[in-house]
Coordinates of all heavy atoms in Angstrom, one line a residue:
F803 N 269.2 157.0 142.8 CA 269.6 157.1 141.4 C 271.1 156.8 141.2 O 271.5 156.1 140.3 CB 269.2 158.4 140.8 CG 269.8 158.7 139.5 CD1 269.3 158.1 138.4 CD2 270.9 159.5 139.4 CE1 269.9 158.3 137.1 CE2 271.5 159.8 138.1 CZ 271.0 159.2 137.0
Q804 N 271.9 157.4 142.1 CA 273.4 157.2 142.0 C 273.8 155.8 142.1 O 274.7 155.3 141.4 CB 274.1 158.1 143.0 CG 273.9 159.6 142.6 CD 274.6 160.5 143.6 OE1 275.3 160.1 144.5 NE2 274.3 161.8 143.6
Y805 N 273.2 155.0 143.0 CA 273.5 153.6 143.2 C 273.0 152.8 142.0 O 273.8 152.0 141.5 CB 272.8 153.1 144.5 CG 273.6 153.2 145.7 CD1 273.4 154.3 146.6 CD2 274.5 152.3 146.1 CE1 274.1 154.5 147.7 CE2 275.3 152.4 147.3 CZ 275.1 153.5 148.1 OH 275.8 153.6 149.2
L806 N 271.8 153.1 141.5 CA 271.3 152.3 140.4 C 272.2 152.6 139.1 O 272.4 151.7 138.3 CB 269.9 152.7 140.1 CG 268.8 152.2 141.1 CD1 267.5 152.7 140.8 CD2 268.8 150.7 141.3
K807 N 272.6 153.8 138.9 CA 273.4 154.2 137.8 C 274.7 153.4 137.8 O 275.2 152.8 136.8 CB 273.6 155.7 137.8 CG 274.5 156.2 136.6 CD 274.6 157.7 136.7 CE 275.5 158.2 135.5 NZ 275.6 159.7 135.6
R808 N 275.4 153.4 139.0 CA 276.6 152.7 139.1 C 276.5 151.2 139.0 O 277.3 150.5 138.5 CB 277.3 153.1 140.5 CG 277.9 154.5 140.4 CD 278.3 155.0 141.8 NE 279.0 156.3 141.7 CZ 278.4 157.5 141.4 NH1 277.1 157.5 141.2 NH2 279.1 158.6 141.3
F809 N 275.4 150.7 139.5 CA 275.1 149.3 139.4 C 275.0 148.9 138.0 O 275.6 147.8 137.5 CB 273.8 148.9 140.2 CG 273.3 147.5 140.0 CD1 273.9 146.5 140.7 CD2 272.3 147.2 139.1 CE1 273.5 145.2 140.6 CE2 271.9 145.9 139.0 CZ 272.5 144.9 139.7
D810 N 274.2 149.6 137.2 CA 274.1 149.3 135.7 C 275.4 149.4 135.0 O 275.6 148.7 134.0 CB 273.1 150.3 135.1 CG 271.7 149.9 135.3 OD1 271.4 148.8 135.9 OD2 270.8 150.7 134.9
Q811 N 276.3 150.3 135.5 CA 277.6 150.4 134.8 C 278.7 149.4 135.3 O 279.8 149.4 134.9 CB 278.2 151.9 135.1 CG 277.3 152.9 134.4 CD 277.7 154.3 134.7 OE1 278.4 154.6 135.7 NE2 277.2 155.3 133.9
G812 N 278.3 148.6 136.3 CA 279.2 147.5 136.8 C 280.2 147.9 137.8 O 281.1 147.2 138.1
Y813 N 280.0 149.1 138.5 CA 280.9 149.6 139.5 C 280.7 148.7 140.8 O 279.7 148.2 141.0 CB 280.6 151.0 139.8 CG 281.1 152.0 138.8 CD1 280.3 152.4 137.8 CD2 282.4 152.5 138.9 CE1 280.8 153.3 136.8 CE2 282.9 153.4 137.9 CZ 282.1 153.8 136.9 OH 282.5 154.7 136.0
N814 N 281.8 148.7 141.6 CA 281.7 148.1 142.9 C 281.0 149.0 143.9 O 281.5 150.1 144.2 CB 283.2 147.8 143.4 CG 283.2 147.1 144.8 OD1 282.1 146.8 145.3 ND2 284.4 146.9 145.3
L815 N 279.8 148.6 144.3 CA 279.0 149.5 145.2 C 279.5 149.4 146.6 O 279.0 150.2 147.4 CB 277.5 149.1 145.0 CG 276.9 149.3 143.7 CD1 275.5 148.9 143.7 CD2 277.1 150.8 143.2
D816 N 280.3 148.5 147.0 CA 280.8 148.3 148.3 C 281.6 149.5 148.8 O 281.6 149.8 150.0 CB 281.7 147.1 148.5 CG 280.9 145.8 148.3 OD1 279.6 145.8 148.4 OD2 281.5 144.7 148.1
T817 N 282.2 150.2 147.9 CA 283.0 151.4 148.3 C 282.3 152.7 148.0 O 282.9 153.8 148.3 CB 284.4 151.3 147.6 OG1 284.1 151.3 146.2 CG2 285.2 150.1 148.0
F818 N 281.2 152.7 147.4 CA 280.5 154.0 147.0 C 279.7 154.5 148.2 O 279.1 153.7 149.0 CB 279.5 153.8 145.9 CG 278.7 155.0 145.5 CD1 279.4 156.1 145.0 CD2 277.4 155.1 145.8 CE1 278.6 157.3 144.7 CE2 276.6 156.2 145.5 CZ 277.3 157.3 144.9
C819 N 279.7 155.8 148.5 CA 278.9 156.4 149.5 C 278.3 157.6 148.9 O 279.0 158.5 148.3 CB 279.8 156.7 150.7 SG 278.8 157.2 152.2
Y820 N 277.0 157.8 149.1 CA 276.2 158.9 148.6 C 276.7 160.2 149.3 O 276.9 160.2 150.5 CB 274.7 158.7 148.8 CG 273.9 159.9 148.6 CD1 273.6 160.4 147.3 CD2 273.4 160.7 149.7 CE1 272.9 161.5 147.1 CE2 272.6 161.8 149.4 CZ 272.4 162.2 148.1 OH 271.6 163.3 147.9
E821 N 276.9 161.3 148.6 CA 277.2 162.6 149.1 C 275.9 163.4 149.0 O 275.4 163.6 147.9 CB 278.3 163.2 148.4 CG 279.6 162.6 148.5 CD 280.8 163.3 147.8 OE1 280.7 164.5 147.7 OE2 281.7 162.6 147.3
A822 N 275.4 163.9 150.2 CA 274.2 164.7 150.2 C 274.3 165.9 149.3 O 275.4 166.6 149.2 CB 273.9 165.2 151.6
H823 N 273.2 166.3 148.6 CA 273.1 167.4 147.7 C 273.9 167.3 146.5 O 274.0 168.3 145.7 CB 273.4 168.7 148.5 CG 272.6 168.9 149.7 ND1 271.2 169.0 149.8 CD2 273.0 168.9 151.0 CE1 270.8 169.1 151.0 NE2 271.9 169.0 151.8
S824 N 274.5 166.1 146.2 CA 275.2 166.0 144.9 C 274.2 165.6 143.8 O 273.3 164.8 144.1 CB 276.3 164.9 145.0 OG 275.8 163.7 145.4
V825 N 274.4 166.1 142.7 CA 273.4 165.9 141.6 C 274.2 165.3 140.4 O 275.2 165.7 140.0 CB 272.8 167.3 141.1 CG1 271.9 167.1 140.0 CG2 272.1 167.9 142.3
E826 N 273.6 164.2 139.9 CA 274.1 163.5 138.7 C 272.9 163.2 137.8 O 271.8 162.9 138.2 CB 274.7 162.2 139.1 CG 276.0 162.3 139.9 CD 276.6 161.0 140.2 OE1 276.2 160.0 139.6 OE2 277.4 160.9 141.1
G827 N 273.2 163.3 136.5 CA 272.2 162.9 135.5 C 271.1 163.9 135.4 O 271.0 164.9 136.1
S828 N 270.2 163.6 134.4 CA 269.0 164.4 134.2 C 267.8 163.8 134.8 O 267.8 162.6 135.2 CB 268.8 164.5 132.7 OG 268.4 163.3 132.2
P829 N 266.7 164.6 135.0 CA 265.5 164.0 135.6 C 265.0 162.8 134.7 O 264.5 161.8 135.2 CB 264.5 165.2 135.6 CG 265.4 166.4 135.7 CD 266.6 166.0 134.9
A830 N 265.1 163.0 133.4 CA 264.7 161.9 132.5 C 265.5 160.6 132.7 O 264.9 159.5 132.7 CB 264.8 162.4 131.0
E831 N 266.8 160.7 132.8 CA 267.6 159.6 133.1 C 267.3 158.9 134.4 O 267.2 157.7 134.5 CB 269.1 160.0 133.1 CG 270.1 158.8 133.2 CD 271.5 159.3 133.2 OE1 271.8 160.5 133.3 OE2 272.4 158.4 133.2
C832 N 267.0 159.7 135.4 CA 266.6 159.2 136.7 C 265.3 158.4 136.6 O 265.2 157.3 137.1 CB 266.5 160.4 137.7 SG 266.0 160.0 139.4
L833 N 264.3 159.0 136.0 CA 263.0 158.3 135.8 C 263.2 157.0 135.1 O 262.6 156.0 135.4 CB 262.0 159.3 135.2 CG 260.6 158.7 134.9 CD1 260.0 158.3 136.3 CD2 259.7 159.7 134.2
Q834 N 264.0 157.0 134.0 CA 264.2 155.8 133.2 C 264.8 154.7 134.1 O 264.4 153.6 134.0 CB 265.1 156.2 132.1 CG 265.3 155.0 131.1 CD 266.2 155.4 129.9 OE1 266.9 156.4 130.0 NE2 266.1 154.6 128.9
L835 N 265.8 155.0 134.9 CA 266.4 154.0 135.8 C 265.4 153.5 136.8 O 265.3 152.3 137.1 CB 267.6 154.6 136.5 CG 268.9 154.5 135.7 CD1 270.1 155.0 136.5 CD2 269.2 153.0 135.4
F836 N 264.6 154.4 137.4 CA 263.6 153.9 138.3 C 262.6 153.0 137.7 O 262.2 152.0 138.2 CB 262.8 155.1 139.0 CG 263.7 155.9 139.9 CD1 263.4 157.2 140.2 CD2 264.8 155.3 140.5 CE1 264.1 157.9 141.1 CE2 265.6 156.1 141.4 CZ 265.2 157.4 141.7
L837 N 262.1 153.3 136.5 CA 261.2 152.5 135.7 C 261.8 151.1 135.4 O 261.1 150.1 135.5 CB 260.7 153.2 134.5 CG 259.8 154.4 134.7 CD1 259.6 155.1 133.4 CD2 258.4 153.9 135.2
L838 N 263.1 151.1 135.1 CA 263.8 149.9 134.7 C 263.9 149.0 135.9 O 263.8 147.8 135.8 CB 265.1 150.3 134.2 CG 266.0 149.1 133.7 CD1 265.4 148.4 132.5 CD2 267.4 149.6 133.4
H839 N 264.1 149.5 137.1 CA 264.5 148.7 138.3 C 263.4 148.5 139.3 O 263.5 147.7 140.2 CB 265.7 149.3 139.0 CG 267.0 149.2 138.3 ND1 267.7 148.0 138.3 CD2 267.6 150.0 137.5 CE1 268.8 148.2 137.5 NE2 268.8 149.4 137.0
C840 N 262.2 149.2 139.1 CA 261.2 149.1 140.2 C 260.5 147.7 140.2 O 259.9 147.3 141.2 CB 260.2 150.2 140.1 SG 259.0 150.0 138.7
G841 N 260.6 146.9 139.1 CA 260.0 145.6 139.1 C 258.5 145.5 138.7 O 257.9 144.5 138.7
I842 N 257.9 146.6 138.3 CA 256.5 146.7 137.9 C 256.5 147.2 136.4 O 257.2 148.2 136.1 CB 255.7 147.6 138.8 CG1 255.8 147.1 140.2 CG2 254.3 147.7 138.3 CD1 255.1 148.0 141.3
T843 N 255.7 146.5 135.6 CA 255.7 146.9 134.2 C 255.2 148.3 133.9 O 255.9 149.0 133.2 CB 254.8 145.9 133.4 OG1 255.3 144.5 133.7 CG2 254.8 146.1 131.9
D844 N 254.1 148.7 134.5 CA 253.6 150.0 134.3 C 253.2 150.6 135.6 O 252.0 150.7 136.0 CB 252.3 149.9 133.4 CG 251.8 151.3 132.9 OD1 252.6 152.3 133.0 OD2 250.6 151.3 132.5
P845 N 254.2 151.1 136.4 CA 254.0 151.5 137.7 C 253.3 152.9 137.8 O 253.4 153.7 136.9 CB 255.4 151.7 138.4 CG 256.2 152.0 137.2 CD 255.6 151.2 136.0
S846 N 252.5 153.1 138.8 CA 251.9 154.4 139.1 C 252.9 155.3 139.8 O 254.0 154.8 140.2 CB 250.7 154.2 140.0 OG 251.1 153.8 141.3
W847 N 252.6 156.6 139.9 CA 253.6 157.4 140.6 C 253.7 157.0 142.0 O 254.8 157.1 142.6 CB 253.1 158.9 140.5 CG 253.3 159.5 139.2 CD1 252.4 159.8 138.2 CD2 254.6 159.8 138.6 NE1 253.0 160.3 137.1 CE2 254.3 160.3 137.3 CE3 255.9 159.7 139.0 CZ2 255.3 160.8 136.4 CZ3 256.9 160.1 138.1 CH2 256.6 160.6 136.9
A848 N 252.6 156.5 142.7 CA 252.7 156.1 144.0 C 253.6 154.9 144.2 O 254.4 154.8 145.1 CB 251.3 155.7 144.6
E849 N 253.6 154.0 143.2 CA 254.5 152.8 143.3 C 255.9 153.2 143.1 O 256.8 152.6 143.7 CB 254.0 151.8 142.2 CG 252.7 151.1 142.6 CD 252.1 150.3 141.4 OE1 252.2 150.7 140.2 OE2 251.4 149.3 141.7
L850 N 256.2 154.1 142.2 CA 257.5 154.6 142.0 C 258.0 155.3 143.2 O 259.2 155.2 143.6 CB 257.6 155.6 140.8 CG 257.7 155.0 139.4 CD1 257.7 156.0 138.4 CD2 258.9 154.1 139.3
R851 N 257.2 156.1 143.9 CA 257.5 156.8 145.1 C 257.8 155.8 146.2 O 258.8 155.9 146.9 CB 256.4 157.7 145.5 CG 256.8 158.6 146.7 CD 255.8 158.3 147.9 NE 256.2 159.1 149.0 CZ 256.6 158.5 150.2 NH1 256.7 157.2 150.2 NH2 257.0 159.2 151.2
N852 N 257.0 154.7 146.3 CA 257.3 153.7 147.3 C 258.6 153.0 147.1 O 259.3 152.7 148.0 CB 256.1 152.7 147.4 CG 254.9 153.4 148.1 OD1 255.0 154.3 148.8 ND2 253.7 152.8 147.7
F853 N 258.9 152.7 145.8 CA 260.1 152.0 145.4 C 261.3 152.9 145.8 O 262.3 152.4 146.4 CB 260.1 151.7 143.9 CG 261.5 151.3 143.4 CD1 262.0 150.1 143.7 CD2 262.2 152.2 142.6 CE1 263.3 149.7 143.2 CE2 263.4 151.8 142.1 CZ 264.0 150.6 142.4
T854 N 261.3 154.2 145.4 CA 262.4 155.0 145.7 C 262.6 155.3 147.2 O 263.7 155.3 147.7 CB 262.3 156.4 145.0 OG1 261.1 157.0 145.3 CG2 262.4 156.2 143.5
W855 N 261.5 155.4 147.9 CA 261.5 155.6 149.4 C 262.1 154.4 150.1 O 263.1 154.5 150.9 CB 260.1 155.9 149.9 CG 260.1 156.0 151.4 CD1 260.4 157.1 152.2 CD2 259.8 154.9 152.3 NE1 260.3 156.7 153.5 CE2 259.9 155.4 153.6 CE3 259.4 153.6 152.2 CZ2 259.7 154.7 154.8 CZ3 259.1 152.8 153.3 CH2 259.3 153.4 154.6
F856 N 261.7 153.2 149.7 CA 262.2 151.9 150.3 C 263.7 151.8 150.0 O 264.5 151.5 150.9 CB 261.4 150.7 149.8 CG 261.9 149.4 150.3 CD1 261.6 149.0 151.6 CD2 262.7 148.6 149.5 CE1 262.1 147.8 152.1 CE2 263.2 147.4 150.0 CZ 262.9 147.0 151.3
L857 N 264.0 152.0 148.7 CA 265.4 151.8 148.3 C 266.3 152.8 149.1 O 267.4 152.5 149.6 CB 265.6 152.1 146.8 CG 267.0 151.9 146.2 CD1 267.4 150.4 146.4 CD2 266.9 152.2 144.7
N858 N 265.8 154.1 149.2 CA 266.6 155.1 149.9 C 266.8 154.7 151.4 O 267.9 154.9 151.9 CB 265.9 156.4 149.8 CG 266.7 157.6 150.4 OD1 267.8 157.7 150.0 ND2 266.1 158.4 151.3
V859 N 265.8 154.2 152.1 CA 265.9 153.8 153.5 C 266.9 152.7 153.6 O 267.7 152.7 154.5 CB 264.5 153.4 154.0 CG1 264.6 152.8 155.4 CG2 263.6 154.7 154.2
Q860 N 266.8 151.7 152.7 CA 267.7 150.5 152.8 C 269.1 151.0 152.6 O 270.0 150.5 153.3 CB 267.3 149.5 151.8 CG 265.9 148.8 152.1 CD 265.9 148.2 153.4 OE1 266.7 147.4 153.8 NE2 264.9 148.6 154.2
L861 N 269.4 151.8 151.6 CA 270.7 152.2 151.3 C 271.3 153.1 152.4 O 272.5 153.0 152.8 CB 270.8 152.9 150.0 CG 270.5 152.0 148.8 CD1 270.4 152.8 147.5 CD2 271.6 151.0 148.6
R862 N 270.5 154.0 153.0 CA 270.9 154.8 154.1 C 271.3 153.9 155.3 O 272.3 154.2 155.9 CB 269.8 155.8 154.5 CG 270.3 156.8 155.5 CD 269.2 157.8 155.9 NE 268.4 158.3 154.8 CZ 267.1 158.5 154.8 NH1 266.4 158.2 155.9 NH2 266.5 158.9 153.7
D863 N 270.5 152.9 155.6 CA 270.8 152.0 156.7 C 272.1 151.2 156.4 O 272.9 151.0 157.3 CB 269.6 151.1 157.0 CG 268.4 151.8 157.6 OD1 268.5 152.9 158.0 OD2 267.4 151.1 157.6
C864 N 272.2 150.8 155.2 CA 273.4 150.1 154.8 C 274.7 150.9 155.0 O 275.7 150.5 155.5 CB 273.3 149.6 153.4 SG 274.7 148.7 152.8
E865 N 274.6 152.2 154.5 CA 275.8 153.1 154.7 C 276.1 153.4 156.1 O 277.3 153.5 156.5 CB 275.5 154.4 153.9 CG 275.6 154.3 152.5 CD 275.5 155.6 151.8 OE1 275.1 156.6 152.4 OE2 275.6 155.7 150.5
A866 N 275.1 153.4 157.0 CA 275.3 153.7 158.4 C 275.7 152.4 159.2 O 276.3 152.6 160.3 CB 274.0 154.2 159.0
S867 N 275.6 151.3 158.7 CA 275.9 150.0 159.4 C 277.4 149.8 159.4 O 278.1 149.8 158.3 CB 275.2 148.8 158.8 OG 275.7 147.6 159.3
V868 N 278.0 149.5 160.5 CA 279.4 149.2 160.6 C 279.7 147.9 159.9 O 280.8 147.7 159.4 CB 279.9 149.1 162.1 CG1 279.3 148.0 162.8 CG2 281.4 149.1 162.1
F869 N 278.7 147.0 159.8 CA 278.9 145.7 159.1 C 279.0 145.8 157.6 O 279.4 144.9 156.9 CB 277.8 144.7 159.5 CG 277.8 144.4 161.0 CD1 276.8 145.0 161.8 CD2 278.8 143.7 161.6 CE1 276.8 144.7 163.2 CE2 278.8 143.4 162.9 CZ 277.8 144.0 163.8
C870 N 278.6 146.9 157.1 CA 278.7 147.2 155.6 C 279.8 148.1 155.3 O 280.0 148.5 154.1 CB 277.4 147.7 155.1 SG 276.0 146.6 155.3
N871 N 280.6 148.5 156.3 CA 281.7 149.4 156.1 C 282.9 148.6 155.6 O 283.4 147.7 156.3 CB 282.1 150.1 157.4 CG 283.2 151.1 157.3 OD1 284.1 151.0 156.4 ND2 283.2 152.1 158.1
P872 N 283.4 148.8 154.4 CA 284.5 148.0 153.8 C 285.8 148.1 154.6 O 286.6 147.2 154.7 CB 284.7 148.5 152.4 CG 284.0 149.8 152.3 CD 283.0 149.8 153.4
D873 N 286.0 149.3 155.3 CA 287.2 149.4 156.2 C 287.1 148.5 157.4 O 288.1 148.1 157.9 CB 287.4 150.9 156.6 CG 287.6 151.8 155.4 OD1 288.2 151.3 154.4 OD2 287.2 153.0 155.5
F874 N 285.9 148.3 157.9 CA 285.7 147.4 159.1 C 285.8 145.9 158.7 O 286.4 145.2 159.4 CB 284.4 147.8 159.8 CG 284.1 146.9 160.9 CD1 284.8 147.1 162.1 CD2 283.1 145.9 160.9 CE1 284.5 146.3 163.2 CE2 282.8 145.1 162.0 CZ 283.5 145.3 163.2
V875 N 285.0 145.5 157.7 CA 284.9 144.1 157.4 C 286.0 143.6 156.5 O 286.2 142.4 156.3 CB 283.5 143.8 156.8 CG1 282.4 144.0 157.8 CG2 283.3 144.5 155.5
Q876 N 286.7 144.6 155.9 CA 287.7 144.3 154.9 C 287.2 143.4 153.8 O 286.2 143.7 153.2 CB 289.0 143.8 155.6 CG 289.5 144.8 156.5 CD 290.6 144.3 157.4 OE1 291.0 143.2 157.4 NE2 291.1 145.2 158.3
D877 N 287.8 142.2 153.5 CA 287.3 141.4 152.4 C 286.5 140.2 152.9 O 286.2 139.3 152.1 CB 288.4 141.0 151.5 CG 289.4 140.1 152.2 OD1 289.3 139.9 153.4 OD2 290.2 139.5 151.5
T878 N 286.1 140.2 154.2 CA 285.4 139.0 154.7 C 284.0 138.8 154.2 O 283.5 137.7 154.2 CB 285.4 139.0 156.2 OG1 284.7 140.2 156.6 CG2 286.8 139.0 156.8
L879 N 283.4 139.9 153.7 CA 282.0 139.8 153.2 C 281.9 140.3 151.8 O 280.9 140.9 151.3 CB 281.0 140.6 154.1 CG 280.9 140.2 155.5 CD1 280.0 141.2 156.3 CD2 280.3 138.8 155.6
Q880 N 282.9 140.0 151.0 CA 283.0 140.5 149.6 C 281.7 140.1 148.8 O 281.3 138.9 148.8 CB 284.2 139.9 148.9 CG 284.4 140.4 147.5 CD 284.8 141.9 147.5 OE1 285.4 142.4 148.4 NE2 284.5 142.5 146.4
G881 N 281.1 141.1 148.2 CA 279.9 140.9 147.5 C 278.6 140.7 148.2 O 277.5 140.6 147.7
F882 N 278.7 140.8 149.5 CA 277.5 140.6 150.4 C 276.6 141.8 150.2 O 275.5 141.7 150.0 CB 277.9 140.5 151.9 CG 276.7 140.4 152.8 CD1 275.9 139.2 152.8 CD2 276.4 141.4 153.6 CE1 274.8 139.1 153.6 CE2 275.3 141.3 154.5 CZ 274.5 140.1 154.5

């Protein structure tokens, strides 16, 4: 949710890192963003769950990768 919220607001996501147990927004706002970004017109709860699970795994792997660390790559992969 935090990544999608910042993406919609136009923030640079290259420097953002999720902090565990931090809470932002309301449950309604979270659901609205998931519905907006999941890519399915009328998703089931299972489809929303799969979307959020996949997104979470990808973002966790991205944050853990040295190749996505802005301090390591500096500006060589800007926008990648």
Side-chain angles (χ1 to χ4, degrees):
F803 168 76
Q804 293 177 10
Y805 273 95
L806 291 176
K807 182 178 177 182
R808 283 166 177 75
F809 175 77
D810 279 354
Q811 294 172 343
Y813 285 92
N814 179 3
L815 297 178
D816 292 341
T817 57
F818 176 71
C819 190
Y820 169 75
E821 292 182 34
H823 308 294
S824 61
V825 178
E826 293 181 14
S828 67
E831 185 182 10
C832 181
L833 181 58
Q834 184 178 19
L835 273 180
F836 289 158
L837 289 169
L838 181 67
H839 289 280
C840 78
I842 300 172
T843 304
D844 188 19
S846 66
W847 284 111
E849 290 167 327
L850 281 176
R851 187 238 176 245
N852 289 337
F853 168 71
T854 56
W855 175 81
F856 177 77
L857 184 62
N858 188 51
V859 168
Q860 295 301 307
L861 292 171
R862 189 180 316 140
D863 289 348
C864 180
E865 285 183 354
S867 172
V868 68
F869 298 107
C870 296
N871 183 334
D873 296 328
F874 177 74
V875 297
Q876 295 169 5
D877 67 348
T878 58
L879 298 175
Q880 185 67 25
F882 178 69

